[in-house]
Every structure is written in structure tokens, then in C-alpha cells.
Amino acid sequence: MANMIENFKKVIEELKSDLGDGLLSADIWHIRDAQGLAGYNTNPKATALFNEVTRVLGKTLQGSEYPGLGDYYSVHLDNNSLVVIILFGDYQLGMTVDLSKTTMGLLMSVVMPKIHKMLKESIS
């Protein structure tokens, strides 16, 4: 577990490096208890909220005979920020990004694939 948490911390550092001032916050947690394992400018209330949103959204999609959740989902906020929740195994990473300080192209085409790969490797 200690090695996994060190790997999670490397993921957070990579996000900070790639997104710079565009990264407002990030947190990695286990879905069982929504307790943060690694993070940057963490918000435990938001972590608990998005853990529950993921659970309800997944259950609702399943009950609606709709395809299930994929690797991530996002929520665009009023202040031009984007919350991205990445799902990997029994863990989630939630990050808030300032869209005035980074581009969607960088986030979706470069950062997301790299981070998702690092996360999967962290738990394997």
C-alpha cells in the first residue's frame, strides 16, 4: 500500500507539472470510504460528494439500460472550471482545472491519457 501511495503522489506531481496554474486541486481516493490518499489543494467535502455522484450515476446508468461509465466523466462549473473524475479500479482521481489557464486539447489529448495510464500502473 505504501508503494501505491507513493505512485499516487507521483501522479499528482505529474498533474502539477503538466497543468501548472491550470490545476486548482486534485485528490485520489478509495471508493470504499472516500478518504484521500494523495492530493493537492484537497477538498474532503468535494471528494465525498464526487464519490457519491459516481456511485449514483453508475447505478442510474445501469438501471436505465444505458452503457456504463467509462474511464472518466466531467462537470463544467459556472466559474469556467472543469471537474474531471477518473475511474480506475477501486479508486478515483478528482481534479479541478481552470479552463482560462489551460486548454481542453492539452487536458484531453495529452494529460488524461498519460495520467490514466499512470493510475492503472499504480494499482497493478
Side-chain angles (χ1 to χ4, degrees), residues 88-105:
F88 61 106
D90 290 336
Y91 302 88
Q92 294 180 48
L93 178 146
M95 67 176 131
T96 306
V97 178
D98 184 340
L99 294 175
S100 69
K101 296 182 180 175
T102 193
T103 65
M104 286 293 287

Side-chain angles (χ1 to χ4, degrees), residues 57-69:
L57 183 57
K59 183 177 178 182
T60 302
L61 289 171
Q62 185 179 38
S64 300
E65 297 179 12
Y66 217 69
L69 283 173

Side-chain angles (χ1 to χ4, degrees), residues 4 7-12 15 27-29 38 71 85-89 91-95 111-124:
M4 184 171 46
N7 289 336
F8 288 166
K9 289 178 181 178
K10 289 177 186 173
V11 169
I12 299 296
L15 279 172
D27 203 355
I28 299 174
W29 66 90
D71 294 335
I85 306 297
I86 301 175
L87 314 171
F88 61 106
Y91 302 88
Q92 294 180 48
L93 178 146
M95 67 176 131
V111 176
M112 290 285 290
K114 176 174 36 170
I115 293 303
H116 195 256
K117 181 180 178 195
M118 288 177 72
L119 290 167
K120 283 184 169 181
E121 289 171 355
S122 292
I123 60 171
S124 60

Side-chain angles (χ1 to χ4, degrees), residues 24-81:
L24 300 176
S25 67
D27 203 355
I28 299 174
W29 66 90
H30 193 283
I31 61 173
R32 178 187 64 244
D33 58 11
Q35 294 299 307
L37 301 171
Y40 167 72
N41 288 338
T42 62
N43 181 337
K45 288 181 182 179
T47 299
L49 168 72
F50 282 106
N51 194 59
E52 183 65 8
V53 167
T54 302
R55 187 188 69 74
V56 171
L57 183 57
K59 183 177 178 182
T60 302
L61 289 171
Q62 185 179 38
S64 300
E65 297 179 12
Y66 217 69
L69 283 173
D71 294 335
Y72 71 92
Y73 66 92
S74 62
V75 178
H76 187 240
L77 303 177
D78 282 341
N79 64 352
N80 202 33
S81 293

